[in-house]
Amino acid sequence: MTAASAAADVLEQLLTDRYSCRGFLPAQVPPDVVRRMFAIAQRTPSWCNSQAWQVHLLSGDEAAAFSDRLVERVTSGPEAADIAGPSSYEGVYRDRRRACGFALYNAVGVARDDADGRLMQMLQNFRFFGAPHVAVITTPKALGTYGVMDCGGYVANLLNAAQSLGLGAIAQAAIAMYADVVRTELSVPEDRDVVCGVSFGYADPDHPANAFRTERAALDEVVAGLPV
């Protein structure tokens, strides 16, 4: 086996094993591990090396207080995102979204007609699923789509770095849907947009929400011109 092949195997295994963690243990991650995770993600390539991402990291009591403000905001008024969400999910995108949602609710025992249960599960997004750490990623408004795209690459690498260090993590667009309270609580400058949050910590192996996995489309469905 060549060095390149071995490296590819490691990366493939990380990507295969990684999942969106929705149940965490309360123990905080040691500072040196947190620093290494962010140092790995900092190697993310970006448009003209702009490195659009800026991160607000909260841990422990600070994260809990931020969570309380988010829950208060979510239950008191409509969304106020900096970056508009999808206008609709149609066709296969709707099917994938529904499959993911149904799998989650089935895993945690929430029936489709259980409105209260679904609300409580939705609010777990703003409790960071019990994670002791949350990182909020922002991008300069002036960089537009390219800044958001670069932040997406950064978030993907942050998730994979967490996996490589034995941590659970989940990217959360839900946090960005209430950018007004995020901006106030974290003093985010007006010239930056809130992109998303990433909650992380040690996964709870016994939490039912961590028991399901999402599917991936076959290569032929997404890549035209693949060699035979």
Side-chain angles (χ1 to χ4, degrees):
M1 178 182 294
T2 66
S5 178
D9 288 345
V10 170
L11 178 58
E12 183 176 21
Q13 193 63 55
L14 282 172
L15 292 170
T16 300
D17 292 343
R18 194 211 65 80
Y19 64 96
S20 292
C21 183
R22 293 181 174 88
F24 293 87
L25 298 173
Q28 291 192 35
V29 180
D32 61 321
V33 178
V34 174
R35 290 188 64 87
R36 188 175 186 196
M37 182 182 74
F38 283 100
I40 292 171
Q42 191 61 24
R43 303 307 306 174
T44 299
S46 59
W47 187 266
C48 298
N49 196 34
S50 57
Q51 302 175 58
W53 50 87
Q54 287 286 314
V55 182
H56 295 259
L57 175 61
L58 297 94
S59 302
D61 291 343
E62 282 190 333
F66 180 46
S67 169
D68 289 341
R69 285 290 294 114
L70 277 170
V71 171
E72 179 184 349
R73 171 64 182 82
V74 170
T75 56
S76 65
E79 295 179 352
D82 287 338
I83 302 169
S87 59
S88 65
Y89 289 86
E90 299 178 359
V92 68
Y93 310 111
R94 178 191 59 216
D95 296 341
R96 292 170 184 164
R97 183 174 187 242
R98 286 180 174 175
C100 180
F102 291 153
L104 170 60
Y105 289 130
N106 286 339
V108 297
V110 175
R112 296 186 185 185
D113 59 352
D114 183 358
D116 290 340
R118 292 168 77 91
L119 173 61
M120 294 304 296
Q121 183 59 40
M122 182 276 289
L123 289 176
Q124 286 301 308
N125 282 283
F126 307 99
R127 292 295 185 194
F128 316 136
F129 301 104
H133 309 276
V134 63
V136 176
I137 292 88
T138 71
T139 183
K141 290 181 182 292
L143 293 185
T145 301
Y146 292 96
V148 175
M149 181 176 69
D150 287 341
C151 286
Y154 176 81
V155 168
N157 282 332
L158 190 61
L159 297 173
N160 292 326
Q163 179 69 29
S164 75
L165 293 165
L167 304 176
I170 180 170
Q172 295 185 258
I175 293 172
M177 296 300 101
Y178 298 88
D180 53 350
V181 70
V182 174
R183 186 177 307 283
T184 298
E185 292 298 306
L186 304 185
S187 299
V188 177
E190 289 295 334
D191 63 353
R192 299 191 69 86
D193 285 335
V194 178
V195 177
C196 70
V198 174
S199 297
F200 67 94
Y202 292 106
D204 180 353
D206 298 322
H207 197 290
N210 291 335
F212 83 97
R213 298 291 183 270
T214 53
E215 299 291 333
R216 292 296 181 270
L219 286 181
D220 290 341
E221 294 182 36
V222 296
V223 184
L226 270 178
V228 179

